[in-house]
Amino acid sequence: MLKKSLDDLDRNIVSALADDARISNRKIAGDLGITEGTVRSRIKRMEQEGQLHLTAVTNIDRLRSPTLAYIWIEVERSAQCDALAEQLAQVPEIGFVGKMLGRFDLLAITLVQDNAELASFLRREVTGLPGVRRTECSLGVDFVKHDYRMGRIVKVDDGDN
């Protein structure tokens, strides 16, 4: 199936859903001046093509004492990076895994309640994996802004528009 790129209307629908995933198709249609059927079919297409996935997200501001832990990982050999990233992505407590450029090869992000939980988690789920040379953690201690919709894409004007 050929995937269609998102046009302005798709992005406006996604933006409305990002603000409130429970918003009705009728409300989105009214706000955008289109039919409810258009909204429904566009959402269905974007879901089928993997461009949109609607889900519930925990609001970390409501957790007892959340600590956002950034786990920086250096791999032994660069050839192990992909496999290690895939293994980390399978760990349910890890919410983000990315291959990085710079001092570390991978970044994994999780939420923990305290340092003891983080240390136990690292020993149990990360440091023993084949290919992990070393880890370093950074802890988020004060949330100035946390936008769970981090998927917004910054559009760069390349001069062709």
Side-chain angles (χ1 to χ4, degrees):
M1 174 190 298
L2 183 63
K3 290 184 179 181
K4 180 182 177 189
S5 61
L6 298 182
D7 62 17
D8 287 340
L9 183 55
D10 291 333
R11 284 190 285 278
N12 287 334
I13 292 170
V14 170
S15 180
L17 291 167
D19 290 335
D20 179 4
R22 296 178 299 167
I23 190 171
S24 71
N25 291 347
R26 179 179 297 187
K27 172 78 169 117
I28 295 172
D31 290 349
L32 298 177
I34 57 177
T35 68
E36 186 177 352
T38 298
V39 173
R40 187 173 34 260
S41 66
R42 295 253 182 158
I43 291 172
K44 182 178 180 181
R45 177 188 45 80
M46 288 186 283
E47 286 178 318
Q48 288 173 337
E49 294 180 357
Q51 297 166 320
L52 176 68
H53 179 79
L54 299 174
T55 187
V57 177
T58 303
N59 183 348
I60 66 171
D61 295 333
R62 301 285 187 222
L63 297 177
R64 177 172 43 91
S65 175
T67 300
L68 194 59
Y70 295 84
I71 305 166
W72 300 94
I73 302 161
E74 183 180 334
V75 300
E76 291 174 355
R77 292 184 311 278
S78 59
Q80 297 170 298
C81 200
D82 289 344
L84 189 53
E86 289 300 322
Q87 283 182 281
L88 290 167
Q90 299 306 311
V91 176
E93 296 87 353
I94 295 177
F96 173 90
V97 176
K99 293 184 242 177
M100 310 302 286
L101 294 176
R103 183 173 170 189
F104 291 93
D105 302 297
L106 299 171
L107 170 62
I109 302 176
T110 190
L111 276 172
V112 295
Q113 291 294 341
D114 54 42
N115 291 344
E117 184 181 351
L118 176 59
S120 173
F121 175 76
L122 286 172
R123 283 191 300 273
R124 189 177 68 251
E125 300 289 348
V126 181
T127 57
L129 292 174
V132 173
R133 175 179 287 160
R134 73 182 188 98
T135 63
E136 188 173 302
C137 292
S138 303
L139 301 176
V141 294
D142 187 17
F143 300 119
V144 176
K145 177 181 181 180
H146 175 79
D147 188 346
Y148 57 87
R149 301 168 298 165
M150 241 169 32
R152 301 272 181 159
I153 296 174
V154 177
K155 185 176 180 183
V156 178
D157 183 7
D158 60 7
D160 292 338
N161 296 342

